[in-house]
Amino acid sequence: MPVEQLTNPQMDVRSTETILDRTLSVWDPRAECRFVVARPADEPTLWEEYLEGAVAGYRKYGAEKALEYRQIQAGDTTALFFVAIDSNGTVAAGVRAQGPYLVADQAHAITEWGTDPGAPAVRRMIEDRLPFGVVEAKGAWVADTASRRGELVGALGRFATFSMDLLDVQFMLATAASHVLDTWRTTGGVVADHIAPVPYPDDRYETRLMWWDRSRRRGRAESMQLAQLLLTTSRPTPSAGIATGTGGNVVRPMRSVS
């Protein structure tokens, strides 16, 4: 299914203010992990654990360049991040989101295509979607030692799409190596097939541009899980109780859920 061309915006122009005002969490029965979403400044210990896992995961493939650790370490370029905490209290996976963007140059995809012939098309797609709201998913990783790793990979992609709801935008973009495209497609991602892949971070990889559209209706299970996420919050420092599903307090619902 091709990425749709846009005409008139269906949403108001977005601001960069996040509506995530506290740490949220929800148990995922398929991955048997509790997913926690927070801002780096609100959960510095979890943020450090996310970074440690990302460094280990990217280093395993010799792709540390793509992580850009020094640029993201402080957390000020990350709007929110998700981590999966297993029943032992170990952070087993994570992903972060940047945005909402005001200009296309804020998107890391612009850097990845650089001077490639496809760069103008990448820029045009981002600029066309800015009035609807755009965030970018980055730094996804899953630990090799995680139990139910296959289910966790799928769950991580599914939770990343909740960034659109938490940041109140219509679109999420991500760049992904060819070998993970099928997994991201199962979460609603659509590859921009008219844009040729680029060798990023090096010639071993073919990186493609993908888009998610919040206006596309989710399945009942995903909608229920999003609703549960929005109605629970972890304590300031997630504990083993949070990881196993015994912690949490009620918070206000989000303004809207697709």
Side-chain angles (χ1 to χ4, degrees), residues 14 23 35-36 69 73 87 105 138 144 147 152 174 208 235:
R14 307 261 63 87
T23 299
F35 276 82
V36 177
Y69 179 82
Q73 181 182 14
S87 59
D105 284 323
K138 299 294 295 179
D144 288 339
S147 60
L152 185 52
R208 305 298 302 258
R235 291 188 291 273

Side-chain angles (χ1 to χ4, degrees), residues 116-223:
D116 184 86
V122 172
R123 178 178 294 275
R124 186 161 52 249
M125 291 195 79
I126 296 171
E127 290 177 343
D128 285 349
R129 286 159 177 75
L130 288 176
F132 303 79
V134 173
V135 295
E136 185 173 14
K138 299 294 295 179
W141 62 271
V142 177
D144 288 339
T145 57
S147 60
R148 302 179 67 83
R149 190 174 188 276
E151 291 84 354
L152 185 52
V153 170
L156 186 66
R158 185 169 70 252
F159 272 87
T161 69
F162 295 166
S163 299
M164 294 182 286
D165 304 271
L166 293 168
L167 298 172
D168 200 16
V169 302
Q170 185 173 342
F171 291 101
M172 182 177 80
L173 70 94
T175 57
S178 298
H179 67 277
V180 300
L181 294 181
D182 287 343
T183 298
W184 298 148
R185 283 189 180 100
T186 66
T187 67
V190 179
V191 177
D193 286 322
H194 67 290
I195 298 176
V198 290
Y200 185 88
D202 56 49
D203 291 340
R204 296 172 298 163
Y205 299 93
E206 284 194 343
T207 293
R208 305 298 302 258
L209 180 67
M210 297 192 75
W211 287 97
W212 287 256
D213 185 343
R214 179 183 174 191
S215 69
R216 295 184 182 277
R217 183 174 296 276
R218 289 189 174 100
R220 178 176 174 79
E222 286 72 21
S223 296

